[in-house]
Amino acid sequence: MTTIDTKAITVELPEAFDPRWSRLPGIQVDGPRITIDPAEYFFRFESNTWLVADWELVKSQLLDADETTESAVEQLALDFIKRHSESTSDAARVLATAYEVYAYLFREEHLAGLGLPQITADHLRMLREAATLMALNKVELDGHISNVGPCWFFPAATSVVFDLDDETGGMLDEVYHGGWFNEHRRIESIKAHAALGGRLVHGCQSVPDQSGGVVAPYGASMANFRDDLAAFKAGWIEQVYAHRVNPAA
């Protein structure tokens, strides 16, 4: 592992997280209070700065903005990031912002129209929690992946924490990276992720590939991102699965 010297990350969120997150190395959960030891938690931790924008500003200025023939939604998000984002080394702020983003994207009002009756409100909670922690992952503009935690590998991490079988974990992963299979929700995702300084991108085509996702800055090299990911993912996925309490899940 490559790491930089950094202190423990502690944040108190509006929602109590599942205590089973503590099954993964370097993370402790006490209700809504989460403490992460970067040296133990991350496979790779080379950067302790992230790009964020104020969530209240995203809500008031971006979420209801409409794209036009002259400015696509991606351009609206990019312009917003240029105007309003700032670099921070406060990982707790990143997590708090991510929580707001995913509380919005995975809200229960979407369940009725999702077309997946097997997805429940409890599944949405799992998605919110895992996606919040994934916000600490990071990709640089040159495509190099600088921060990688276990939540990069979404089905593996959720199988460890929530005792999900492979089929259920894969289903949740599809909902996470599929934009809920709906253009309206994809547009919501593009706008909301401006609060985290970029857009949600994935290294995978579908569940079996399990190459995870990250909020990457607009303009990041996806070719380098793909190559970097391919070089490390297999060994680290295996390490995440090793923490299963029920290996037969």
Side-chain angles (χ1 to χ4, degrees):
M1 172 187 170
T2 302
T3 187
I4 56 176
D5 291 332
T6 189
K7 60 183 179 181
I9 298 164
T10 302
V11 64
E12 201 148 327
L13 298 172
E15 175 181 44
F17 273 38
D18 194 302
R20 291 174 292 179
W21 281 108
S22 299
R23 291 175 176 177
L24 294 172
I27 181 168
Q28 293 296 321
V29 173
D30 182 11
R33 184 180 177 88
I34 299 170
T35 303
I36 294 172
D37 176 354
E40 293 292 327
Y41 176 76
F42 288 96
F43 294 112
R44 181 188 288 174
F45 191 63
E46 300 171 353
S47 174
N48 63 348
T49 62
W50 297 265
L51 204 60
V52 294
D54 182 73
W55 174 246
E56 292 302 318
L57 204 59
V58 173
K59 287 200 299 181
S60 64
Q61 295 194 17
L62 188 58
L63 292 187
D64 292 329
D66 293 323
E67 69 176 358
T68 69
T69 56
E70 301 297 326
S71 185
V73 64
E74 290 86 354
Q75 187 64 49
L76 293 174
L78 178 58
D79 290 344
F80 181 92
I81 290 166
K82 287 179 177 178
R83 290 195 306 268
H84 300 296
S85 65
E86 60 182 355
S87 179
T88 181
S89 58
D90 183 356
R93 181 182 174 189
V94 178
L95 291 169
T97 301
Y99 173 84
E100 297 295 342
V101 169
Y102 294 112
Y104 168 74
L105 290 176
F106 298 120
R107 57 197 191 275
E108 292 184 20
E109 71 180 67
H110 280 325
L111 283 174
L114 182 58
L116 292 172
Q118 63 270 45
I119 295 288
T120 67
D122 197 42
H123 289 131
L124 295 191
R125 177 186 58 80
M126 297 177 190
L127 284 162
R128 289 194 298 269
E129 292 183 13
T132 294
L133 293 170
M134 287 180 76
L136 295 179
N137 295 327
K138 189 179 177 187
V139 174
E140 306 299 327
L141 276 173
D142 64 2
H144 174 70
I145 301 170
S146 49
N147 292 350
V148 184
C151 281
W152 186 290
F153 312 106
F154 191 95
T158 53
S159 76
V160 170
V161 174
F162 301 116
D163 297 309
L164 301 181
D165 58 33
D166 290 340
E167 181 180 358
T168 306
M171 178 182 65
L172 281 190
D173 191 34
E174 289 279 32
V175 173
Y176 172 67
H177 77 60
W180 292 52
F181 316 102
N182 179 295
E183 179 64 9
H184 176 70
R185 288 187 287 265
R186 187 189 74 87
I187 289 172
E188 278 193 346
S189 176
I190 290 169
K191 293 176 180 178
H193 280 104
L196 296 172
R199 62 182 174 188
L200 186 64
V201 300
H202 295 271
C204 48
Q205 289 73 47
S206 190
V207 169
D209 191 44
Q210 193 178 160
S211 295
V214 68
V215 179
Y218 285 92
S221 170
M222 289 296 101
N224 291 345
F225 167 81
R226 176 198 60 209
D227 293 345
D228 195 10
L229 179 58
F232 66 65
K233 71 172 187 175
W236 290 349
I237 289 172
E238 185 178 348
Q239 288 185 53
V240 176
Y241 275 127
H243 297 286
R244 273 180 165 175
V245 173
N246 177 14

